[in-house]
Amino acid sequence: MAVRITDEPFVIQQSGNPVRVLHPIDSGIDFYGDTLFTSRALYVQQPQMVQAFVEASLQGWRYALEHPEEIVDLLLNTYGVNRSREHLLYEAQHIRTLISPDLIGIGHSNPVRWQMIADTYDSLNLLPGPFHLDAFVPPKMDTVRIPDWLKFVSTLTLLVLCLFMVMIYRQHRLNQNLKTEIRVRKDTESRLRLITDSMHDVIWVMDENFKMTYVSPSVERLTGFEVDEVLNKPISDLINADTRRQLAQRIQEITQINEAGRTGSECDELFEFEIQCKLGRQVWVESTIKFFFSAPGIIATIYGSTRDITDRHRQYIELKNLASMDFLTGVKNRRIFFEKLQYETARFRRHGTPLSLIVLDIDHFKKINDRYGHSIGDEVLRQVVKLLEDEIREMDTIGRLGGEEFGILLPDTALEEAHYLAERLREHVSEYPLEISGVYIPVTASFGVVQCEPLETVSSIYKRADVAAYAAKAAGRNCVRRQMPAMIS
Ligand SMILES: Nc1nc2c(ncn2[C@@H]2O[C@H](COP(=O)(O)OP(=O)(O)OP(=O)(O)O)[C@@H](O)[C@H]2O)c(=O)[nH]1
């Protein structure tokens, strides 16, 4: 069946008659086309030629559909077609509508499609008898022609999709990296926490206001305070006023040095100080402290570790005392006694409070040694010191100045009082013989007393006291002599 709706309506309209077009699709006919035939022999012997013919025909169709005006001109001018230009253009337009080359490529077909066409013919009893479609040759061509706008939209969609996928992938990778990072950090943190928790030293962090922002649990072992009791509290709560002042001064020096550009953005310091524990106990600590500066002279954060050095400090004090002590008698040795004398004379000059010095020398000590032996002599020295210590105040200082010579430094004491004390000491030493290993040994000493005068040097004070003590020896021993400044010659 062939019903042409492409140009007949134009012809009818031109004759002045009304037209009603019955569209094939309304009757279930959804195909339109021309069929190319060849012989089986040609197809078998020269398939390339057949294919070339099919392709050339389709190319012609394509060209004609895309250039209708040019083809109409060709038909009119070259082939002398006996139709008007309008007529041919009308036909071209309707053919294009039927073929819809923008949706389906020219010549597109396949066996299923042929079968459907054959079935349509068959249902309309338009086929002569049994038929088979083996001889139909599927064309080699682009089956579907995708319109440019669709290509553009598809490409754009594909690009957006790809971009989206890339973004999702990147987000996924980012999340994975973040998760890994968080896990690593948590591991590190818990490891560090384990270390700080099990450490004896206290690890801490302070902010720029010297408030604790972190402190390890070992703080309880050191101070008796729990972590919560120390957190967000200023360090000054833990130290006494004296230490507070010293620390503040050191920190001020450190910030000034930093401000002057002599240190970088961080610097390390070692502090030793005493802290106040929860139940009033005092503990000596050593703190290794790292200062971080946000700008010159501006502290941002302070990290530190603090350890208990009370035992070490005690040993240090003991060693220091030992170094300052006379090993035989336990009183200050000559060097430390003179340092103390120097200190007290300076204080006397500053405050004007009187300062006196007694120098005493045991009488005929050589004879004691000779008679009772050197170790008994040593014990005599020790017992004399004890007798002296019984009589003096805590603020007074005894020192061993030589073999059997001692000095007694008396702050806040004028000459009269010092003389009086020297008399008392003399009496106390000589009152009873000393009992050593069942032997009774009478001991006496000669005393020289002086009061320190303004502008007087340490050696001058000592020299005067020594001269006074020898004056006592010269006066028969076991007596006290004092020397006035005017007597210095
Ligand atoms: N046992 C003992 N004797 C000491 C020590 N240091 C010094 N001596 C002795 O003390 C004696 C002092 O003798 P001298 O300087 O002659 O004085 P003195 O015998 O006390 O006589 P006067 O001072 O004049 O009364 C010497 O024999 C020293 O060896 C000591 O640490 N132990």
Side-chain angles (χ1 to χ4, degrees):
M1 180 181 73
V3 178
R4 295 181 68 86
I5 62 162
T6 51
D7 69 333
E8 271 81 351
F10 180 83
V11 177
I12 297 165
Q13 272 172 353
Q14 290 292 306
S15 65
N17 292 310
V19 175
R20 183 168 166 238
V21 177
L22 301 173
H23 290 279
I25 191 71
D26 298 337
S27 308
I29 297 165
D30 61 352
F31 54 88
Y32 170 84
D34 293 334
T35 309
L36 299 176
F37 290 93
T38 186
S39 68
R40 181 177 293 274
L42 189 63
Y43 179 70
V44 172
Q45 284 159 13
Q46 297 194 52
Q48 280 137 349
M49 192 183 87
V50 171
Q51 192 56 43
F53 178 76
V54 169
E55 275 167 22
S57 305
L58 293 175
Q59 204 176 330
W61 264 104
R62 244 176 255 128
Y63 191 85
L65 285 168
E66 277 162 20
H67 307 89
E69 304 255 351
E70 190 187 328
I71 298 302
V72 166
D73 286 344
L74 186 77
L75 290 171
L76 290 173
N77 301 332
T78 308
Y79 295 102
V81 173
N82 189 20
R83 287 195 186 147
S84 70
R85 186 176 171 77
E86 292 74 27
H87 186 154
L88 290 175
L89 282 174
Y90 179 93
E91 189 170 4
Q93 186 196 337
H94 279 76
I95 285 171
R96 188 177 175 84
T97 310
L98 281 172
I99 292 176
S100 299
D102 292 335
L103 293 176
I104 299 166
I106 301 285
H108 168 73
S109 196
N110 57 55
V112 177
R113 185 77 181 135
W114 294 331
Q115 188 61 54
M116 279 173 59
I117 295 169
D119 289 346
T120 305
Y121 274 85
D122 190 36
S123 66
L124 296 170
N125 289 325
L126 290 174
L127 283 182
F131 61 91
H132 55 88
L133 304 169
D134 305 346
F136 278 81
V137 181
K140 287 180 190 163
M141 63 186 63
D142 295 344
T143 48
V144 178
R145 181 154 177 248
I146 299 164
D148 290 346
W149 64 266
L150 195 61
K151 279 184 191 163
F152 177 71
V153 170
S154 308
T155 312
L156 201 70
T157 313
L158 206 68
L159 271 174
V160 170
L161 216 67
C162 285
L163 211 69
F164 188 62
M165 295 290 282
V166 168
M167 278 168 67
I168 287 180
Y169 177 72
R170 287 195 60 181
Q171 189 65 36
H172 175 74
R173 286 290 303 269
L174 226 64
N175 285 346
Q176 290 288 34
N177 289 348
L178 206 67
K179 273 184 194 163
T180 313
E181 181 79 2
I182 289 170
R183 202 180 53 245
V184 168
R185 281 189 183 204
K186 273 188 177 166
D187 283 358
T188 311
E189 199 182 310
S190 56
R191 266 201 300 277
L192 283 176
R193 198 163 285 277
L194 197 72
I195 293 168
T196 52
D197 287 4
S198 56
M199 273 174 85
H200 248 73
D201 292 3
V202 180
I203 308 295
W204 50 263
V205 181
M206 275 196 291
D207 64 12
E208 69 279 17
N209 300 315
F210 302 99
K211 278 192 182 164
M212 292 281 182
T213 53
Y214 169 79
V215 64
S216 62
S218 44
V219 71
E220 197 178 343
R221 204 161 32 216
L222 179 71
T223 65
F225 290 109
E226 286 176 20
V227 170
D228 287 347
E229 291 178 286
V230 182
L231 266 189
N232 296 316
K233 303 244 167 61
I235 178 75
S236 51
D237 284 7
L238 285 174
I239 48 181
N240 62 34
D242 233 22
T243 311
R244 202 156 43 230
R245 221 176 6 259
Q246 285 170 22
L247 282 181
Q249 197 182 334
R250 278 280 299 279
I251 291 168
Q252 196 184 1
E253 284 165 16
I254 289 164
T255 48
Q256 279 170 355
I257 289 170
N258 181 267
E259 199 170 7
R262 277 150 57 201
T263 52
S265 60
E266 50 186 75
C267 72
D268 297 304
E269 283 290 325
L270 191 72
F271 290 81
E272 274 185 20
F273 53 93
E274 208 175 14
I275 58 167
Q276 196 89 33
C277 296
K278 193 169 186 178
L279 300 171
R281 194 167 55 97
Q282 304 272 68
V283 172
W284 270 91
V285 294
E286 176 191 83
S287 283
T288 309
I289 300 179
K290 200 173 201 54
F291 292 87
F292 290 90
F293 296 89
S294 56
I298 310 287
I299 293 173
T301 326
I302 309 164
Y303 285 70
S305 73
T306 297
R307 63 173 51 176
D308 187 345
I309 56 156
T310 309
D311 287 346
R312 197 177 85 191
H313 188 75
R314 195 182 299 123
Q315 284 165 8
Y316 164 74
I317 296 293
E318 280 169 13
L319 275 175
K320 205 172 142 197
N321 285 340
L322 272 178
S324 67
M325 223 167 65
D326 168 54
F327 290 106
L328 183 68
T329 59
V331 296
K332 299 265 180 290
N333 61 28
R334 184 182 171 91
R335 183 177 61 84
I336 297 297
F337 184 82
F338 275 93
E339 272 178 26
K340 183 80 176 157
L341 180 58
Q342 177 82 55
Y343 172 79
E344 290 296 342
T345 51
R347 214 165 72 95
F348 155 70
R349 271 186 225 111
R350 241 188 349 265
H351 303 295
T353 48
L355 172 69
S356 292
L357 173 68
I358 298 173
V359 167
L360 65 108
D361 193 284
I362 298 174
D363 298 330
H364 300 302
F365 191 62
K366 186 174 180 314
K367 284 182 186 167
I368 295 172
N369 268 337
D370 292 348
R371 185 164 174 193
Y372 302 103
H374 208 267
S375 57
I376 297 285
D378 285 352
E379 188 54 30
V380 168
L381 291 172
R382 276 193 283 267
Q383 289 207 14
V384 168
V385 163
K386 273 208 195 83
L387 290 170
L388 299 175
E389 278 175 335
D390 286 347
E391 294 295 315
I392 62 168
R393 304 163 300 178
E394 205 169 313
M395 64 195 288
D396 301 332
T397 306
I398 302 184
R400 189 174 172 203
L401 308 180
E404 81 289 17
E405 186 186 57
F406 295 90
I408 304 172
L409 194 57
L410 307 166
D412 285 339
T413 309
L415 186 65
E416 280 304 323
E417 300 163 89
H419 192 153
Y420 178 74
L421 174 69
E423 267 302 338
R424 219 172 60 224
L425 292 171
R426 187 196 61 75
E427 273 177 29
H428 198 46
V429 169
S430 60
E431 200 171 5
Y432 304 107
L434 301 178
E435 197 255 295
I436 300 166
S437 308
V439 182
Y440 290 88
I441 305 168
V443 176
T444 62
S446 301
F447 293 74
V449 185
V450 292
Q451 180 180 343
C452 175
E453 289 299 316
L455 305 176
E456 195 176 11
T457 62
V458 166
S459 62
S460 160
I461 301 163
Y462 168 69
K463 198 174 163 194
R464 283 200 298 123
D466 199 38
V467 168
Y470 275 88
K473 291 264 183 197
R477 298 183 171 81
N478 191 22
C479 64
V480 178
R481 288 292 178 269
R482 65 188 189 184
Q483 195 178 42
M484 307 299 288
M487 291 168 72
I488 305 171
S489 57

